[in-house]
Amino acid sequence: MSSDAPIRMFGADWCRDCIRTKKQLDELGIDYEYVDLVADPAAADVAKEISGRTSIPVVVYPDSSHHVEPSNADVEAKLRELSLI
């Protein structure tokens, strides 16, 4: 994933919602930057600053909006709104 990807996702491999959202983005062919909070624990502070919460995943979109623990329908609706799918 390139760092200039339009979407950033903060998550962890032990998080079921993260795994689900990552799989959805992969299946839709969306280019995104995955920030692994296990490999980079300091990034958890960045995710918390963005969302105001400690819940993951945090998905940040090109329009600077974000979702915390989004459903697949939430992600799909936002991607459609941004004309990414």
Side-chain angles (χ1 to χ4, degrees), residues 17 20-21 56-59 61 67-75:
D17 287 331
R20 178 182 45 77
T21 301
I56 54 175
V58 175
V59 182
Y61 299 98
H67 277 134
V68 181
E69 294 184 294
S71 68
N72 283 6
D74 291 337
V75 172

Side-chain angles (χ1 to χ4, degrees), residues 11-70:
D13 291 341
W14 51 261
C15 164
R16 289 184 23 206
D17 287 331
C18 299
I19 293 165
R20 178 182 45 77
T21 301
K22 196 170 188 251
K23 181 175 187 262
Q24 179 187 18
L25 293 172
D26 288 341
E27 288 177 351
L28 291 171
I30 300 297
D31 188 25
Y32 65 98
E33 176 188 3
Y34 180 68
V35 181
D36 184 343
L37 300 180
V38 174
D40 184 3
D45 293 333
V46 176
K48 186 177 178 184
E49 282 177 34
I50 293 166
S51 69
R53 297 166 54 187
T54 55
S55 303
I56 54 175
V58 175
V59 182
V60 183
Y61 299 98
D63 64 356
S64 297
S65 67
H66 68 275
H67 277 134
V68 181
E69 294 184 294

